[in-house]
Amino acid sequence: MRKLDRKLLRDLSQLKGQSIAIAMVIAAGIAVFVMSMCAYVSMKGGQQRFYRDFAFADIFAEAKRCPEPLLERIGQISGVATAEGRLVFDVLLIVSGMQEPGTAKLISLPESGDQKLNRLHITRGRMPESDRTGEVAVSEMFAEAHGIVPGDEVSTVINGRLQQLRIVGIALSPEFVIQIQGGGGLPDKKRYGIFWMSQRQMEAAFDMSGAFNSVTLKLAYGANPQQVMTHLDQLMEPYGSVGAYDRDENVSHQFVNDELLQLRTMATIAPAIFLSVAAFLLNIVVSRIIAQQREQIAALKAFGYSNFEVGMHYLDLVLLIAIGGMLLGTFFGIWMAANLTEMYQEFYKFPVLSLMIDRMSVLLALLLTTLVALLGTWHAVRKSITLPPAEAMRPEPPPTYRPTLIERFFPTELLPAALRMVIRNVQRKPVKSAASVLGISMAVAVLIVGSFSLDALQYLIDFQFRMAQRQDLSLGFVEPATSSVIYELSHLPGVLESETTRGVAARIRFQQRSKRVGIAGLIPNPQLFRLLDDQENVVQVPERGIMLNSALADILGAEVGDLVSVEVLEDERPKLDLEVTALVNEFGGLNAYMNKQELHEALQESQVATGAFLRVDQNLLDTVYQELKIRPGIANVTIKMTAIKSFMETIAENMLTMRSFNIFFAVVIAIGVVYNCARISLSEQSRDLATMRVMGFNNMEVSTILLGEIGLFTLVALPLGCLLGYLLAWAMVLGLATENYRIPLVVNNTTFAFACTIVLAATFVSGVIVQRRIRKLDLVSALKTRD
Amino acid sequence: MNATDKLAGATKQKTAVFRALNVTKVYRMGEVQVHALRGVNVELYEHEFVVLLGASGSGKSTLLNILGGLDVPTSGSVFYLDHDLTASEPSELTNFRRDHVGFVFQFYNLIPSLTARENVELITEIARNPMDPMEALAMVHLQDRANHFPAQLSGGEQQRVAIARAIAKRPDVLLCDEPTGALDVKTGIVVLEAISRINAELGTTTAVITHNAAIAAMADRVISLSDGQIHEVRENSERIAASRLEW
């Protein structure tokens, strides 16, 4: 080993506290980077393999009833590689041990041979057979939620008849990687399941022989999906199609892509924060070492070491710290990715979701770390190598101070001299001071960004499901129900209040933009299903016109007062030009609302409803459930409270895990910054502090000067960090907003307080560690040496 | 007659501010033991001006550090009046320095971020009965430079600020460690004049450490150390003014 390298190792061991602190900050950044990249690659890989191996369709369309021969014509559309027709119906489920009814999406399996598209992956049991009555395969998520194994039975109400379903297989489908009812509802794995049943049995049960109501297409290579969808719409329109759509409108696909987007965002933002803090810390530490080793550098150069060798010596020191942190971070990142992938398996059902270690990202991490290390220390190292030996032999000239700017306006004579020392030290190094403040603020910001999602989620649920929607149950009907059905429902024992809604599929156009959405017709002045604006005020349902939720309005570029054209995709397909009367605040889905009466008139129909909202006497809930279970015509039931509860249970643990990671990372940043700043200040001021100790200042008084600076930084950093955290949260809310979900920008005071408390505590701990060194100050030698 | 007896006989009637009895100090530097002091007996009296003379490594700085409460002896005792410094806790030593001792260092040790006046104020803020900071600066003829930072002052001026800082608390004893060590002759003399004036006007017991034998002429007493022991104690029959010193 070269002697210079030995010096390097010894210098490093002198700096172990600071080196570890910096390496940890780098490790945190790299860990998040490697974690998100590996999780991204694993999930993306899992998604692509599943889609490819199980032939996930490209185009989907639903209709009322299409005759069998239509399928052949669909298959002939230019650009279509494979077309498959099927039956899809929502039915009510009766599961033993569950009072409330559940909802099943029942999908047919072709008679002849295998499915061509959206093939099932059977994880347990076998595929249902067409000649055995009542055999079904069920989605794994639902099976797991109920502990269902092949051989178990559930009941369902099909066309008013109670039917036993015998589960023979547990299945995964590329179409339902995540199992959520569309339209911004909450995932409820217990009360919503996907069931697959043979085509023949479904035809018989739903009176659909020789017909299909859903078609899925695989496109040929290079086909234009837009053209295919137009052709498909033309063919299916006469049979009640509500318009074809591609994968981007498949809820499961959307959710997986949203998650991938989140991982990518995380892989960019987090390393940027952590590595810039690390660069700053490396800079102050290396600058200080070089200042301290001025005479050593001079001696080395006097003896003939080249500028390059001296420069490399210090760069090696930095790289050793940085790469140490990077390796630690990589291992930690892979470990976190393994955990995350495991956690994903609860939500995202792939046949194989195995952790893939993304070699590129590890390489990129190495590159990034090296770059940060070089950037952070280049200035200081360059200064050291360009210093002529003769000049370096002389001690650095004493620092010059001037009265600070503040002092010109503020009578600092009133302040104790010790405090004036602090203020002048801070102002003498404005860049270092500002960077320290920024570093500590970053810790606060990281905590806020990591914790605010819980606030946001609570607000979302409160806003959407308590303030706006005040029903207990939402029902969906198989066919538009007449007023007598509605009358009957509203008079069930236990039903306190009821409202109906008429939903239609429609395409809304504004200028050159258009979107296929559902329009809900609402009764005037609804009390259960209410619409609110972003100020939480009730939006009145107008007699004429349309209300858009803000996300839809954004996509269309429409504002209040604009005239949008609405093409209803059902019945006579009326076209309406409607004025946007209000924008509605909603955090899920893309929705539009109209007056129900206006919709009836446009469709030239009587007072029918496709759904109802019920408020129910909580003591009679079970009675209501019993009634609903046996009532024909009800396709699905959503129970608001249980959905919220199940959703919160599912994500609460994950949020807690993420939050503890965030706390750990923020503490790493806070300690990294505070500890290093304090150590540097101690090193720079040790002579002053020792002098003061000699002159009779006690440990506490001297510590006040040392830690006063850090205290001052922290004091400024807390509000700044809160602001930064809020801005970052805002950026994240914008960046992660999708058609499915928008996160409201809500940061509670408790979250600000929590972030500040954690950072204060981390500051305090690092302060105490450094403060203990003041006791060890060698008073005698500090006086002898000239710094 | 040994040195201690001579010392005792010559100064019987004066009050001893410091008494060091059989003080030894052994440093352990790795494997090696360094005997910095080997049984030193010494007394410093009220109002007197003492020069501790010795070559580098003679133990003079170690003795001064022990008297000033910066260091503790390995054996023996040190009394400040009737307080046993060797039996004091670190916090008691801090208070001792705070209330009774003024230090002047070879390299001034001014706080670079504070002006001359503020350097003095740093001490007057914690002292029990301080003088006005400007009065202290006036005593070293630096009242006009009060608002200058150390970097704006010459070496001699910096050392005079350091003296003003040391005496502003009205210490009972002023300990100066090579106060002219970093200065040229002319500036050194100005500094010594300031120290001697403080001793004369305030009556502060003053001990100056130096390796410069010429300075010894301005003292009441000269204590010479070599190899960790008191080699000689000499009383000057006549003190020579600092301005007349030459080296």
Side-chain angles (χ1 to χ4, degrees), chain A residues 313-498:
Chain A
H313 172 63
Y314 289 101
L315 281 183
D316 282 348
L317 180 83
V318 172
L319 284 176
L320 224 55
I321 298 173
I323 291 177
M326 177 254 158
L327 288 177
L328 186 71
T330 305
F331 287 121
F332 193 48
I334 291 173
W335 178 76
M336 287 201 303
N339 277 341
L340 192 64
T341 323
E342 201 171 298
M343 203 166 85
Y344 278 157
Q345 281 165 0
E346 252 178 76
F347 296 95
Y348 303 102
K349 294 294 181 184
F350 294 102
V352 193
L353 185 62
S354 53
L355 174 67
M356 288 203 273
I357 293 167
D358 181 23
R359 289 202 194 84
M360 261 320 280
S361 77
V362 176
L363 203 69
L364 212 60
L366 183 68
L367 216 69
L368 219 64
T369 312
T370 312
L371 194 73
V372 161
L374 292 182
L375 275 180
T377 51
W378 180 247
H379 180 70
V381 171
R382 214 175 69 104
K383 215 175 101 187
S384 83
I385 60 180
T386 49
L387 203 62
E391 196 182 317
M393 285 285 194
R394 289 191 287 276
E396 252 191 298
T400 20
Y401 284 86
R402 260 170 276 121
T404 59
L405 202 65
I406 314 163
E407 289 175 72
R408 279 179 225 159
F409 303 103
F410 185 75
T412 41
E413 296 91 76
L414 301 177
L415 295 177
L419 199 59
R420 267 175 275 174
M421 280 174 75
V422 173
I423 294 176
R424 288 188 192 142
N425 279 329
V426 170
Q427 181 161 325
R428 191 169 153 266
K429 298 192 165 170
V431 177
K432 184 192 154 201
S433 304
S436 310
V437 168
L438 207 63
I440 302 171
S441 331
M442 282 299 182
V444 181
V446 163
L447 277 168
I448 290 172
V449 170
S451 310
F452 93 100
S453 46
L454 208 64
D455 299 343
L457 198 71
Q458 255 150 13
Y459 179 78
L460 183 152
I461 287 177
D462 205 46
F463 181 92
Q464 196 96 8
F465 300 105
R466 293 207 174 89
M467 283 151 67
Q469 304 180 18
R470 303 195 291 193
Q471 81 278 15
D472 297 315
L473 307 178
S474 316
L475 312 180
F477 303 133
V478 179
E479 289 288 325
T482 57
S483 40
S484 63
V485 174
I486 297 157
Y487 180 85
E488 197 185 331
L489 270 178
S490 59
H491 286 79
L492 284 179
V495 173
L496 301 174
E497 224 175 319
S498 71

